[in-house]
Amino acid sequence: MKARISVECLALLSISLFGVLSVGSQSSADKDARLIDSFGPAPNGHIRGVLDLFLAELANNPEATGIAYIHGSPAEIASRKRLIQNHLGFRKFDPSRVSFVAGRDIGSVRTDLWLVPRGAPEPEIKPEAWVFREIGRARKAVLVRSMNAVINESFRLEGHQTYIINYGTPAQVAQRERWIRNAITFRRFDSFRITLVNGGHGPVRTVMWLVPPGAANPTP
């Protein structure tokens, strides 16, 4: 509760300063893009408070632009983008100063807010593992087709590893792992590029991740 109140109070203070911040307040040393905030699942009220702080930073740097990188499923990305756009309209903030970049499904929705000074290159985004496909209850043929697709994609992207997490009862996980290993052997896939992980109890499902070079492996 205390953290939420402090964000909202700071947001209100920041909004009140929109009209008095000067061009000269930008430091000449601020020539690189910098991350202003990053947040995952959160109540809309908290997100609006964070967005107000972001807009205050942009108001304080009138020649800079903002970038909102939104990670998640297509539906989550669309919902976050709509929320931010509505907030820009509510605050009557110039929408042309904030651009949007749709990221990958990293297993959970997350928004990264960057400030980019004029003339600065866009930020270098650290590679992260992302969900290629998730399969619930399904027949063996469906799982094998998905295996073909994820392996083909990993080769197309070069250097990506395939990380497969199976969830369910011990019997369900064992069955899925058996199907996957049979598909690897039959299709002569490079097994060293494929990691199988027992995700533990839960509804039966298989989550197929692709891990770019330099990215950390996902956790169950």
Side-chain angles (χ1 to χ4, degrees):
M1 177 62 74
K2 290 181 179 179
R4 182 173 65 84
I5 292 173
S6 64
V7 168
E8 292 173 352
C9 290
L10 285 172
L12 291 173
L13 177 61
S14 300
I15 296 168
S16 68
L17 295 176
F18 275 9
V20 298
L21 294 169
S22 65
V23 175
S25 62
Q26 183 177 8
S27 169
S28 60
D30 294 337
K31 295 181 180 179
D32 296 324
R34 67 179 190 272
L35 182 66
I36 301 301
D37 211 322
S38 178
F39 54 92
N44 285 353
H46 176 82
I47 294 175
R48 292 187 184 100
V50 172
L51 290 174
D52 279 336
L53 294 175
F54 180 54
L55 298 186
E57 287 283 352
L58 285 171
N60 197 29
N61 295 271
E63 295 187 338
T65 57
I67 301 178
Y69 286 89
I70 308 175
H71 307 271
S73 67
E76 289 170 331
I77 291 172
S79 177
R80 275 284 168 93
K81 181 178 179 180
R82 187 164 56 250
L83 189 155
I84 295 172
Q85 288 175 325
N86 289 342
H87 194 73
L88 292 175
F90 177 72
R91 293 300 185 201
K92 295 181 172 56
F93 196 89
D94 181 1
S96 68
R97 294 191 61 198
V98 179
S99 60
F100 297 87
V101 177
R104 301 280 195 179
D105 182 356
I106 57 173
S108 178
V109 63
R110 194 185 80 227
T111 302
D112 302 332
L113 300 174
W114 288 83
L115 184 143
V116 184
R118 187 178 67 171
E122 292 191 359
E124 293 186 11
I125 305 302
K126 182 180 177 181
E128 295 182 74
W130 53 280
V131 177
F132 175 79
R133 190 165 297 176
E134 182 171 334
I135 305 159
R137 291 187 176 276
R139 293 175 291 115
K140 178 180 178 180
V142 173
L143 196 67
V144 171
R145 283 198 297 271
S146 296
M147 276 293 300
N148 290 336
V150 72
I151 295 301
N152 289 339
E153 186 69 2
S154 73
F155 278 105
R156 185 185 72 81
L157 295 174
E158 297 184 4
H160 283 55
Q161 298 289 318
T162 304
Y163 205 82
I164 302 175
I165 305 178
N166 292 295
Y167 301 85
T169 66
Q172 289 170 330
V173 171
Q175 182 185 59
R176 293 237 162 157
E177 289 184 347
R178 187 164 57 251
W179 288 351
I180 292 169
R181 288 194 176 95
N182 287 342
I184 292 171
T185 301
F186 181 75
R187 299 293 181 182
R188 297 180 180 178
F189 293 139
D190 291 334
S191 59
F192 74 91
R193 295 184 60 180
I194 304 169
T195 301
L196 299 183
V197 177
N198 184 337
H201 287 280
V204 60
R205 61 192 176 105
T206 298
V207 184
M208 297 181 173
W209 294 79
L210 284 172
V211 185
N217 289 331
T219 56

